[in-house]
Amino acid sequence: MVSTPPLYQQIQKHLLDKINSSEWPPHHQIPPEEQLARDFSVSRMTANKAIRDLVQKGYLTRQPGLGTFVTDRKAESSLVEVYNIAEEVRLRGHRYGNQVLICEAIEADDEVALRLGVRLGSRVFHTLIVHLENEVPIQLEKRYVNPRWVPDYLDADFTLHTPNEVLVAACPITDVEHIVEAILPEAQAAEWLSIDTASPCLSMIRRTWSGEQLISYARLLHPGERYKLRSSMHRELS
C-alpha cells in the first residue's frame, strides 16, 4: 500500500516544481501562506511549515513586510576553504556531472613552472575538466599537478572522483592561495562553458600546499551569471 506524502510535502513539491522549471525565477514572489492554505485545503500552520523548510534549505527567503521570494541559488564556492565541487552541487540538491577534456603529462612552460614551483620543462600532470550542475556547465577547471607528490594522479577515474578528491586523498591540504579577477572568456572556453564570449566570467587561480610542498596549480573559470564566490571572517572580541 502506497502512503500519501504529508500535506506540507505536497505543497513543497508544488513550490519546487515551479522553481526548478524556472516558471518562478530568482526574486519571484511566491503566493502568501493564506493563499497556499486555501489552494491545498490545509491549515495555515501546514502552509507555514512547507515554506519554513524551504527557507531553511535556501530555496526561499522571507522579507519582512514584503513577502517570500525565490532565492538566487547560483553555484557558490568559498574563498577561504577548498571544497569538493561535486559535494557542493549535491548539497544544493542538484545533480553533479563532468566532462573530462584532457588528462595528460606535459612539459611545464614558463607560467606553469613559475606557478607550480618546478623547473622549466619539468614533467607535470595536466587535466582539463568541465564541471556540471544539472547538466549545465558551472566551472572549467584547468589543473597542473606536481607528479612528485601525487604520482598516481593520471590513473584516477575523473568521471567518478574530482581532482580535489584525488589530491586530498594523496596529500591533505594545509594551505591555499586564491587570486580572483573578472574576465571575458576566450572562444574555446566559452564553447566548453556554453556561454557567449561577451559573457563576464569569474577567473580564479588556486594554488594548494600540503605542509611545505606545493602540490597543485589550477585555473578555474566560472560563468558570472551562474556562479558566485563567498568569503567570511570571524574575529573574537577582546
Side-chain angles (χ1 to χ4, degrees):
M1 184 175 179
V2 179
S3 59
T4 302
L7 293 172
Y8 79 91
Q9 290 185 357
Q10 296 178 38
I11 299 174
Q12 287 181 348
K13 182 180 184 305
H14 168 75
L15 299 176
L16 288 174
D17 286 346
K18 297 284 189 180
I19 294 170
N20 292 330
S21 68
S22 296
E23 182 177 342
W24 289 354
H27 313 299
H28 176 87
Q29 184 173 9
I30 72 166
E33 291 176 8
E34 296 88 343
Q35 181 177 333
L36 289 172
R38 290 195 301 271
D39 291 346
F40 286 86
S41 301
V42 299
S43 68
R44 182 172 174 179
M45 182 180 299
T46 299
N48 176 273
K49 176 173 175 51
I51 293 174
R52 187 174 68 248
D53 286 358
L54 293 183
V55 169
Q56 293 175 347
K57 293 177 181 178
Y59 288 96
L60 300 173
T61 181
R62 294 183 187 271
Q63 297 186 20
L66 296 177
T68 304
F69 299 81
V70 178
T71 57
D72 184 357
R73 288 174 61 82
K74 287 185 179 180
E76 175 181 288
S77 281
S78 170
L79 277 172
V80 181
E81 303 290 342
V82 176
Y83 295 114
N84 175 17
I85 191 170
E87 183 179 356
E88 288 182 350
V89 169
R90 291 171 184 138
L91 285 174
R92 289 192 286 272
H94 296 169
R95 298 185 309 278
Y96 170 78
N98 65 37
Q99 298 171 352
V100 181
L101 303 175
I102 296 175
C103 184
E104 63 182 1
I106 63 170
E107 293 184 357
D109 60 18
D110 290 339
E111 181 188 3
V112 173
L114 178 64
R115 298 282 190 182
L116 199 53
V118 299
R119 292 181 180 274
L120 179 66
S122 297
R123 179 173 178 267
V124 299
F125 295 151
H126 171 222
T127 51
L128 184 65
I129 298 174
V130 179
H131 298 283
L132 311 172
E133 182 166 351
N134 289 342
E135 301 180 3
V136 176
I138 59 168
Q139 184 188 93
L140 176 63
E141 175 187 341
K142 187 177 186 67
R143 184 178 294 274
Y144 301 91
V145 174
N146 189 332
R148 180 178 181 183
W149 311 120
V150 194
D152 299 326
Y153 180 75
L154 294 184
D155 295 330
D157 184 348
F158 292 111
T159 63
L160 299 176
H161 303 285
T162 65
N164 172 269
E165 289 178 290
V166 175
L167 294 176
V168 169
C171 302
I173 295 173
T174 59
D175 297 271
V176 60
E177 173 189 82
H178 284 143
I179 301 174
V180 180
E181 62 179 334
I183 67 170
L184 294 177
E186 296 181 354
Q188 182 61 80
E191 181 179 341
W192 284 326
L193 289 170
S194 299
I195 57 176
D196 188 87
T197 53
S199 300
C201 289
L202 290 172
S203 173
M204 176 192 291
I205 294 176
R206 172 185 290 165
R207 296 199 296 171
T208 52
W209 286 259
S210 184
E212 299 297 320
Q213 313 306 331
L214 177 51
I215 305 299
S216 171
Y217 153 56
R219 282 187 170 273
L220 311 174
L221 189 66
H222 316 87
E225 64 180 9
R226 303 174 192 159
Y227 214 88
K228 60 184 176 182
L229 299 171
R230 169 180 48 83
S231 180
S232 60
M233 181 184 72
H234 173 73
R235 178 179 296 169
E236 296 290 345
L237 295 176
S238 57

